[in-house]
Amino acid sequence: MNTYRPINPNFPPIVKNLIIINVLAWIASITLPRLGVDIIDLLGLHYWESEKFNAVQMVTYLFLHDTSSISHLFFNMFGIWMFGKNIELYWGPKKFLIFYFVSGIGAAIVQELVWMYSLQPAIDAINQYANTKDIHLLMPYLNNLSEHTTIPMSQLWELKDLMLNAPITVGASGALFGILLAFAVLFPQARMVLIFFPVPIRAPYFVALYAAAELFMGVMPSSDGVAHFAHLGGMLFAGILILLWKKKGNLY
């Protein structure tokens, strides 16, 4: 006789499996390099002009996290569990999974645009220098150059390859920011607490403050290694999808 088993409200299926996959991927990221396989380099998100880029990375990067400590993985998985479970139970597994990947892929698209904005001028300058040998083209990007400097092209090609191949992004944060926005839209009366400001704040205001902080940290010069604009990209694409579903009358 079949026995009916209700969904565990603390771990609905998509949230549970996302957490399991991310944990397994993190373990693999630590252990497989000992066998000569660097899955972060293979499946992490690279710049689209890099020789290491593959379109599948737009999805696979979501399941990889920084291996220098467990904090990156822990806080992302904690956020997906805390907020994602309520959204999955509200929307159902299929709709939640679509929303998750739209947010995550949207974050990847925005990150690619940020890289293009920051890297492409220097790449174009190197390509133009190869044709003209005009050192003025490189002066905005390389220090201590004079008008009489000649740079071997072999060194410039190495620099170009480094610029194209070095940037890499991993993590579920973009999808998590989409989840935060959905939580604020679906449960606007819910109250959330910041660690450094232990006063309950309604979810929409909390998300707005978080987004403003990400924007501020994104535009300020820093070397924290965090893809702030990718986070905002996940929220942006999540917002577009929410508006589309609302327009069609199937958001709630």
Side-chain angles (χ1 to χ4, degrees):
M1 182 178 70
N2 294 329
T3 303
Y4 171 70
R5 295 183 178 180
I7 294 176
N8 182 345
N10 288 320
F11 284 97
I14 299 301
V15 166
K16 178 179 69 176
N17 285 290
L18 285 173
I19 292 174
I20 290 172
I21 294 170
N22 275 273
V23 170
L24 291 176
W26 188 76
I27 294 172
S29 300
I30 294 175
T31 57
L32 289 182
R34 301 173 185 174
L35 303 176
V37 180
D38 187 347
I39 67 169
I40 287 184
D41 194 50
L42 289 173
L43 302 178
L45 182 65
H46 289 275
Y47 182 41
W48 69 273
E49 280 199 4
S50 169
E51 60 186 15
K52 296 183 178 183
F53 175 77
N54 189 307
V56 73
Q57 294 170 358
M58 303 286 283
V59 174
T60 55
Y61 89 101
L62 283 165
F63 299 99
L64 302 171
H65 289 81
D66 179 22
T67 57
S68 62
S69 73
I70 200 171
S71 61
H72 188 208
L73 173 71
F74 173 79
F75 285 111
N76 275 348
M77 295 305 100
F78 181 75
I80 288 172
W81 170 77
M82 174 172 282
F83 304 106
K85 64 181 180 180
N86 298 286
I87 299 170
E88 182 179 347
L89 290 169
Y90 189 91
W91 273 342
K94 181 179 179 180
K95 194 168 185 177
F96 174 72
L97 188 61
I98 292 172
F99 181 83
Y100 184 87
F101 280 118
V102 167
S103 300
I105 294 172
I109 292 172
V110 171
Q111 183 60 42
E112 291 288 341
L113 293 175
V114 169
W115 279 334
M116 183 183 297
Y117 175 80
S118 60
L119 294 176
Q120 203 59 49
I123 300 299
D124 292 341
I126 292 174
N127 292 335
Q128 293 173 25
Y129 177 82
N131 296 323
T132 65
K133 298 299 186 294
D134 182 359
I135 196 65
H136 295 89
L137 294 168
L138 301 178
M139 285 182 174
Y141 309 104
L142 297 176
N143 296 325
N144 302 320
L145 294 182
S146 70
E147 294 184 353
H148 304 291
T149 302
T150 301
I151 303 177
M153 287 310 303
S154 59
Q155 293 182 10
L156 279 181
W157 295 140
E158 290 178 4
L159 176 62
K160 179 182 175 180
D161 288 341
L162 178 63
M163 292 173 64
L164 290 175
N165 296 328
I168 185 170
T169 290
V170 294
S173 301
L176 175 56
F177 268 72
I179 288 174
L180 286 173
L181 179 63
F183 186 87
V185 172
L186 297 176
F187 310 105
Q189 299 303 320
R191 295 186 178 273
M192 307 162 77
V193 178
L194 293 166
I195 295 175
F196 55 84
F197 186 68
V199 176
I201 306 172
R202 285 181 54 192
Y205 301 121
F206 177 93
V207 172
L209 287 172
Y210 209 162
E214 286 293 316
L215 179 60
F216 175 79
M217 290 184 286
V219 299
M220 292 296 292
S222 66
S223 57
D224 60 3
V226 178
H228 297 290
F229 284 109
H231 298 170
L232 294 173
M235 193 174 286
L236 172 65
F237 276 73
I240 293 172
L241 185 56
I242 287 171
L243 289 175
L244 289 174
W245 282 348
K246 186 176 182 179
K247 185 176 180 179
K248 292 181 179 179
N250 58 2
L251 177 63
Y252 298 103

